[in-house]
Amino acid sequence: VQLQASGGGLVQPGGSLRLSCVASGNIFSTNVMGWYRQGPSGHRDLVATMGNGGDTTYADSVKGRFTISRDNIRHTVDLQMNSLKPEDTAIYYCVGDRAMPASLRAPFWGQGTQVTVSS
């Protein structure tokens, strides 16, 4: 499975960005798709993931601001990020896994896309 992410960039605090990720290859291995992020601390943390059935997991820090969506026909997963804060600055990684919520040991990772929130 190959994951290709896009949509990062520079945005002011309070702004919005939308990340997209498309899966190709043996996509039946990716029951779960979603996003992790790695900030200045170096830790890679779960942001949001979604299973084939629509079940979701969100980090507490993004609940109410970020929305994950998935198109199982196009094999894409999007992350709509609203009310962005400087602490959302990170490299965002698309992830694919077999079971919720998608762990750091997930087998499939995209290349990462930079999101910078700054005035």
Side-chain angles (χ1 to χ4, degrees):
V1 176
Q2 294 79 45
L3 301 176
Q4 182 70 40
S6 61
L10 172 65
V11 64
Q12 292 186 342
S16 299
L17 278 176
R18 188 177 184 89
L19 304 182
S20 295
C21 177
V22 59
S24 59
N26 186 11
I27 51 99
F28 297 104
S29 298
T30 53
N31 294 322
V32 179
M33 292 183 70
W35 299 89
Y36 272 69
R37 67 186 179 188
Q38 184 168 335
S41 69
H43 297 139
R44 190 173 292 195
D45 300 312
L46 183 147
V47 178
T49 60
M50 177 177 275
N52 273 336
D55 45 334
T56 58
T57 298
Y58 287 95
D60 287 343
S61 60
V62 307
K63 286 180 180 177
R65 300 189 298 123
F66 291 10
T67 303
I68 191 169
S69 60
R70 185 170 173 176
D71 186 327
N72 290 332
I73 295 176
R74 294 171 56 234
H75 311 306
T76 60
V77 62
D78 291 351
L79 185 68
Q80 178 65 43
M81 305 185 293
N82 298 328
S83 302
L84 282 160
K85 305 175 181 180
E87 50 264 44
D88 295 317
T89 295
I91 300 172
Y92 284 70
Y93 293 91
C94 182
V95 61
D97 205 347
R98 295 178 176 85
M100 285 291 280
S103 74
L104 283 169
R105 293 186 297 275
F108 309 115
W109 293 87
Q111 82 283 12
T113 184
Q114 177 71 47
V115 171
T116 302
V117 185
S118 175
S119 55

